[in-house]
Amino acid sequence: AINLAEMFRAEKRKERERRRLKRLAVHQYELPGLTGDLDPFVVAGMDGIWYIPEFLSSADEECLCGFIENEEDSSETSGTWKNLPHRRLKTWGGIPSSKGMYKKPLPRWMDCINQKLVEIGIIKQTPNHILLNEYKDGKGIGAHFDGPLYESEVAVLNLSGSGSS
């Protein structure tokens, strides 16, 4: 049997995503002083680590937060919030485990960010997955070691916060 109501909802979701992608594509990344030379952004004493304030414009950040908040959970891309003790977590691109990565496709609205990270030389290839952490006020990522799934490149993007505690 054909479920017309579900087909209609799926088409509406696709159209909303197309409109959001179009809106995000309109914004240009204006990275003051960033011309492919990352030296001014190197964190002192930490080779290979950069801090780039205002990596996204306010409009891009707002748009990206809109994608995250309005995304409907999908078995295709994951993206379901998981409540943890001091944070909430969404995972895209697969679920990391001790046995490797259970791969899933990344949401298309991340393509422009991923491409920009490669273009300016932050990472060599587009990410294979994204972990989105939402921390409670006054909390943040603690000291830890990531396993081999995260070698050798990691990019962190802070949204809707100061990036310090």
Side-chain angles (χ1 to χ4, degrees):
I2 296 174
N3 185 337
L4 292 177
E6 180 56 37
M7 287 174 59
F8 180 72
R9 283 191 295 274
E11 284 303 313
K12 285 183 80 170
R13 283 192 300 267
K14 287 179 189 176
E15 180 57 32
R16 279 195 308 268
E17 181 182 357
R18 278 192 288 272
R19 284 194 306 263
R20 284 188 227 139
L21 285 171
K22 185 177 179 181
R23 189 175 63 212
L24 186 60
V26 168
H27 300 295
Q28 296 297 313
Y29 293 95
E30 297 175 13
L31 304 174
L34 188 56
T35 59
D37 178 15
L38 296 173
D39 289 344
F41 302 101
V42 170
V43 175
M46 306 192 85
D47 188 36
I49 298 178
W50 304 277
Y51 173 70
I52 305 172
E54 307 304 321
F55 177 77
L56 295 177
S57 69
S58 296
D60 288 336
E61 181 177 354
E62 186 178 323
C63 188
L64 188 56
C65 288
F67 282 127
I68 292 164
E69 289 303 317
N70 296 317
E71 180 196 48
E72 295 185 22
D73 293 337
S74 161
S75 61
E76 181 180 301
T77 61
S78 297
T80 303
W81 283 111
K82 180 178 180 182
N83 290 311
L84 300 171
H86 298 289
R87 62 188 166 119
R88 288 195 316 162
L89 171 70
K90 268 190 181 189
T91 303
W92 288 288
I95 300 169
S97 79
S98 59
K99 296 180 182 179
M101 178 69 72
Y102 299 107
K103 294 185 178 187
K104 291 188 174 195
L106 288 172
R108 289 185 22 227
W109 49 262
M110 276 303 301
D111 289 350
C112 58
I113 305 277
N114 294 339
Q115 290 167 0
K116 194 63 174 177
L117 290 169
V118 172
E119 283 174 22
I120 63 176
I122 297 291
I123 55 178
K124 293 178 183 75
Q125 59 187 3
T126 57
N128 60 0
H129 79 285
I130 296 163
L131 299 177
L132 174 71
N133 290 288
E134 178 185 66
Y135 294 99
K136 296 177 182 176
D137 287 341
K139 302 290 181 191
I141 191 166
H144 67 282
F145 290 98
D146 288 326
L149 290 175
Y150 299 93
E151 294 175 359
S152 65
E153 299 176 326
V154 174
V156 176
L157 181 61
N158 183 52
L159 299 172
S160 297
S162 66
S164 62
S165 55

